[in-house]
Amino acid sequence: MIVLAIDTAGVDCAAAVFDSKADKLIGRVSETIGRGHAERLMAMIDEALAEAGLTLGDIERIGVTVGPGSFTGIRVGVASARGLALALGVDCVGVSTLEVLAQTMSTTDGSILAAINAHRDQIYAQSFVNGVPQDEPLLLELDDYLARAAAPGVVLVGSASALVADRNAETGPDHYPIEIVARISAVAKAQGKPKPLYLRGPDAKPQTGFAVSRA
């Protein structure tokens, strides 16, 4: 199966073409851009296809990170993936960023707590044992996360892990390796159209108090 994988859920903008039979990426483009995913994504898809020597018509499945993560970035990626899948008549699957983080620890046996610093003393988190999710993605208060992180035998991954030593620590951004997104996408069960995984509303709020009255 030839899979097109897309990640716009964080500071990275990435696209890759994955050959599941050969179990390798055959085209990959990734940039840490922070913002501006909408302006860059389609060109990156073209670049990844060109590197692979393929066209969109060769794609048999599309996978996309659905969050939790950047509200705007997730919306861009999911909308693009769904639109391409509809045009090509192929399956589209969503991939959790927390699962991607957990898979970066694939050599670790036992319990993994994948956690993203959502700021405002809140954490996006999910537990895995041997790669299998043990609960749904959660939005935790910082104290709740720290209590879970302190459990014996738990291996931590993700930006929130820095908060265990210092709850006021400055944490860097999370990165979701596009090759892991691609591999998960290749084996994931297609369950209709993927939807953004928003565990919290957008930080930007409409200024309703300053709305201009209609004439």
Side-chain angles (χ1 to χ4, degrees):
M1 179 186 294
I2 303 297
V3 178
L4 172 64
I6 295 169
D7 170 45
T8 57
V11 295
D12 298 328
C13 187
V17 181
F18 178 70
D19 184 340
S20 65
K21 184 176 181 180
D23 190 32
K24 68 176 183 179
L25 293 183
I26 54 177
R28 176 186 183 275
V29 182
S30 181
E31 297 176 5
T32 299
I33 63 173
R35 298 182 179 181
H37 298 86
E39 291 78 15
R40 188 73 182 96
L41 178 60
M42 297 310 295
M44 296 183 78
I45 291 172
D46 288 341
E47 292 168 25
L49 286 166
E51 182 180 326
L54 299 176
T55 68
L56 276 174
D58 296 308
I59 298 301
E60 299 172 272
R61 170 175 282 202
I62 298 176
V64 60
T65 47
V66 296
S70 163
F71 187 91
T72 302
I74 292 166
R75 184 173 59 188
V76 168
V78 171
S80 299
R82 287 175 53 164
L84 287 171
L86 179 63
L88 297 173
V90 299
D91 286 335
C92 187
V93 297
V95 177
S96 161
T97 53
L98 293 167
E99 182 177 1
V100 175
L101 288 175
Q103 289 292 329
T104 66
M105 308 293 287
S106 59
T107 59
T108 301
D109 294 329
S111 181
I112 294 173
L113 181 58
I116 298 167
N117 186 4
H119 302 288
R120 298 188 294 186
D121 285 339
Q122 292 183 318
I123 308 296
Y124 301 129
Q126 189 174 17
S127 297
F128 298 81
V129 173
N130 298 324
V132 179
Q134 300 302 296
D135 49 22
E136 295 297 318
L138 301 170
L139 177 63
L140 303 176
E141 297 301 320
L142 178 56
D143 286 338
D144 189 0
Y145 165 70
L146 293 176
R148 294 177 186 230
V154 173
V155 175
L156 305 178
V157 64
S159 57
S161 60
L163 302 176
V164 173
D166 178 1
R167 61 184 297 140
N168 297 311
E170 293 290 332
T171 61
D174 288 280
H175 299 276
Y176 313 111
I178 193 65
E179 58 270 26
I180 295 179
V181 177
R183 285 190 169 88
I184 294 173
S185 300
V187 299
K189 182 178 180 181
Q191 298 179 319
K193 300 174 181 178
K195 298 179 180 179
L197 179 57
Y198 297 138
L199 299 181
R200 186 174 71 189
D203 292 333
K205 303 293 183 182
Q207 293 181 312
T208 54
F210 296 93
V212 178
S213 60
R214 294 178 182 268

